[in-house]
Amino acid sequence: MTAADFVVVANRLPVDSDSDGGWRHSPGGLVTALEPVMRSTHGAWVGWPGKPDMELEPFDFDGTRLIPVTLSAEDVELYYEGFSNDTIWPLYHDVIAAPRYSRPLWEAYVQVNRRFADAAAEATAHNGTVWVQDYQLQLVPAMLRESRPDLTIGYFHHIPFPAYGLYSQLPWRRQVVEGLLGADVIGFQRVADAGNFARAVRRLLHYETRASGIRVPQPDGTIRRALAKAFPISIDAASYIELAGREDIQARAREIREGLGNPAHVLLGVDRLDYTKGIGHRLKAFGELLAEGRLSVEDVTLVQVASPSRERVETYAHLRDEIELTVGRIDGDFDTVGHTAVRYLHQAFPREEMVAFFLAADVMLVTALRDGMNLVAKEYVASRTDNHGVLVLSEFAGAYDELGRAVTVNPHDIEGLKDAIMQAVNMPAAEQRRRMRSLRRRVLEHDVEDWSRDFLNALADARKGATG
Ligand code: G6P
């Protein structure tokens, strides 16, 4: 196998298996972002094919070499469902759910990170570049640096990095920070995340940090400089604009509204079914507005798309029960034969259908309690080429740093959330246009290609001046 000059390492491969045994691109933004770089560099991608015990040889897909890492059923349980999604995920999202601290989970995380690092080391050419993605693989940068000091190593953290007061709960807090510091550039979504990380480095390791630079002492007594900085991720805005311009998708948007009984206002929520998304807070606010008569089911419907996620993790199973109970209660109390209060869809949809939903929605509700970025907010804005529609956006989502012209909310403040929903529902068209134009400008000016270019340029620069 020839080694590649550019290698991405992520928990998941950028493909999903389809029903007739073939593969298709998975819909994520990261895949779209990296497609041109992967193609022009004949890059490779190391990742898990998404099902337990799947043993596959490396294969080529659309110009990229895919290198599958096998996870046994036990690895999936301990490393993926366990340490990644029942320890790190809740801890890094401000302990909205209680993190599970368990030594066997940690040991599996170390062991599986080692396997990803070994696969990446084998796949990368001398002096090549490796870009590690996300919280499932925080130990990979240091493992790789140890085995392959010739490599340039980048890491991007897609989720929040918590304040030290919370981070310090982690029994393996020092090992994780050391793992990340193996990278030349450690990218975060928000300036605050990079600041939290730098503080953890100072508190735990007493290394010097200045602006975005961190001085990392090496075993030979020299200093290596690492960069920890915000690189807010974005979307492939052009593809959303193109879909929004398609006749069939516009017709589908009209059909969706008709299917709901043509209410005057359609509100929309689109989330993975995750406790970080504030779906319960959103439903509570909406239910109270109906109960108080500030909204009427004849005029307003909330469409909640909640795509299934991590269903074998107990917290997620509980959340599903709780949300479905709440939806059932609201609909039971307020539906009429012809109108529904909440149209709940526990399903995932292709991108075309999502854009139809965006075009059908007068108000988009993003009420996350904590979110690395929230790309749905950007997708909604990009799709609204007609400058109509209102984005209600939580200040706890990374997108808030860029999308300040949204109607911004603290989702914990239910009265404030209710007022924000009313403001959005009643917003005059001229004000919608003004705000939407400014939101769109930001999303179109900084799309996902800019994101990957900015990160990779910083990585190339960092490597040039790394030692000294
Ligand atoms: C978040 C994480 C990603 C993850 C995605 C879906 O966006 O940052 O790393 O891939 O959720 O979660 P899943 O557990 O299905 O991969």
Side-chain angles (χ1 to χ4, degrees):
M1 184 173 82
T2 51
D5 289 320
F6 180 69
V7 174
V8 169
V9 192
N11 179 51
R12 287 180 187 273
L13 283 176
V15 289
D16 292 325
S17 52
D18 58 25
S19 45
D20 37 270
W23 297 95
R24 52 182 154 66
H25 274 295
S26 45
L30 184 64
V31 182
T32 328
L34 297 180
E35 212 172 42
V37 199
M38 300 303 286
R39 242 193 242 135
S40 65
T41 57
H42 302 289
W45 187 305
V46 174
W48 171 47
K51 295 201 180 84
D53 293 312
M54 215 179 196
E55 296 201 25
L56 294 171
E57 289 304 312
F59 60 101
D60 288 320
F61 182 83
D62 212 8
T64 302
R65 171 131 282 238
L66 302 187
I67 303 175
V69 174
T70 304
L71 297 184
S72 68
E74 196 187 11
D75 293 332
V76 172
E77 190 188 329
L78 303 179
Y79 148 80
Y80 168 72
E81 291 161 356
F83 199 79
S84 297
N85 290 315
D86 214 7
T87 305
I88 294 291
W89 182 270
L91 175 64
Y92 284 26
H93 289 86
D94 288 358
V95 197
I96 297 166
R100 197 164 130 215
Y101 301 121
S102 145
R103 284 161 287 180
L105 301 189
W106 163 251
E107 280 150 24
Y109 186 78
V110 175
Q111 201 204 74
V112 173
N113 270 244
R114 172 76 60 200
R115 290 217 306 273
F116 277 87
D118 289 348
E122 200 190 319
T124 317
H126 186 69
N127 284 336
T129 296
V130 178
W131 192 1
V132 183
Q133 307 289 332
D134 226 358
Y135 65 101
Q136 302 92 343
L137 300 174
Q138 294 172 100
L139 307 178
V140 169
M143 289 172 170
L144 259 183
R145 176 155 311 273
E146 208 191 332
S147 61
R148 291 291 305 276
D150 57 300
L151 301 181
T152 300
I153 303 167
Y155 171 90
F156 188 76
H157 194 75
H158 293 253
I159 70 171
F161 195 91
Y164 188 71
L166 292 174
Y167 181 72
S168 55
Q169 288 184 6
L170 186 68
W172 309 278
R173 59 197 185 185
R174 190 185 161 102
Q175 291 94 312
V176 168
V177 165
E178 282 172 345
L180 292 169
L181 280 175
D184 296 288
V185 175
I186 306 144
F188 295 93
Q189 301 282 25
R190 305 179 90 162
V191 174
D193 297 318
N196 288 342
F197 175 71
R199 175 132 194 271
V201 170
R202 287 193 300 273
R203 292 291 301 265
L204 293 167
L205 304 172
H206 309 291
Y207 295 170
E208 219 180 288
T209 68
R210 197 173 304 150
S212 313
I214 301 175
R215 290 166 62 85
V216 186
Q218 299 300 288
D220 65 0
T222 58
I223 298 280
R224 184 169 61 78
R225 272 201 290 271
L227 189 73
K229 202 175 157 231
F231 294 89
I233 200 168
S234 192
I235 58 163
D236 177 19
S239 76
Y240 284 88
I241 294 171
E242 196 192 312
L243 291 174
R246 257 169 55 180
E247 282 286 341
D248 57 331
I249 291 181
Q250 290 170 8
R252 177 69 190 138
R254 287 192 294 273
E255 203 177 274
I256 288 172
R257 288 190 77 108
E258 276 158 28
L260 297 168
N262 267 325
H265 306 279
V266 174
L267 316 185
L268 176 66
V270 175
D271 311 84
R272 264 186 321 100
L273 187 46
D274 195 297
Y275 49 83
T276 59
K277 303 293 184 182
I279 302 170
H281 293 62
R282 187 182 309 164
L283 290 171
K284 187 170 191 51
F286 183 61
E288 287 187 15
L289 288 171
L290 289 170
E292 290 161 12
R294 290 169 78 185
L295 292 178
S296 138
V297 74
E298 305 288 324
D299 302 329
V300 189
T301 293
L302 167 60
V303 177
Q304 177 63 55
V305 176
S307 54
S309 184
R310 304 173 191 166
E311 293 186 281
R312 282 156 39 104
V313 180
E314 212 180 281
T315 328
Y316 287 78
H318 278 151
L319 173 77
R320 181 173 176 194
D321 289 346
E322 202 182 291
I323 295 298
E324 294 183 355
L325 184 73
T326 309
V327 169
R329 286 211 174 129
I330 296 177
D331 281 345
D333 285 345
F334 299 106
D335 278 12
T336 61
V337 171
H339 291 94
T340 186
V342 183
R343 175 64 51 87
Y344 169 76
L345 301 157
H346 183 244
Q347 296 159 47
F349 295 99
R351 194 182 279 192
E352 286 79 2
E353 184 75 352
M354 286 322 310
V355 172
F357 276 117
F358 292 146
L359 294 181
D362 305 289
V363 177
M364 178 81 217
L365 297 172
V366 175
T367 57
L369 306 176
R370 187 49 86 191
D371 207 337
M373 174 53 66
N374 197 289
L375 292 177
V376 168
K378 293 187 173 181
E379 291 167 3
Y380 177 68
V381 163
S383 303
R384 295 315 306 231
T385 51
D386 57 357
N387 290 316
H388 174 79
V390 183
L391 173 65
V392 173
L393 178 61
S394 164
E395 57 192 77
F396 298 101
Y400 171 84
D401 288 356
E402 297 169 84
L403 303 182
R405 289 287 278 159
V407 174
T408 59
V409 288
N410 167 7
H412 297 282
D413 170 11
I414 299 296
E415 286 306 321
L417 183 50
K418 284 157 68 181
D419 291 344
I421 292 173
M422 292 310 297
Q423 186 193 344
V425 164
N426 295 322
M427 189 178 287
E431 188 181 348
Q432 292 188 30
R433 265 198 304 279
R434 267 199 309 279
R435 288 180 183 250
M436 191 54 85
R437 273 209 195 99
S438 133
L439 294 170
R440 289 178 51 76
R441 204 173 304 125
R442 170 65 203 177
V443 174
L444 303 196
E445 268 168 9
H446 179 74
D447 73 0
V448 74
E449 243 186 277
D450 298 301
W451 169 77
S452 59
R453 193 183 333 103
D454 289 352
F455 184 92
L456 293 172
N457 285 344
L459 188 55
D461 290 349
R463 186 58 171 182
K464 271 184 230 145
T467 46

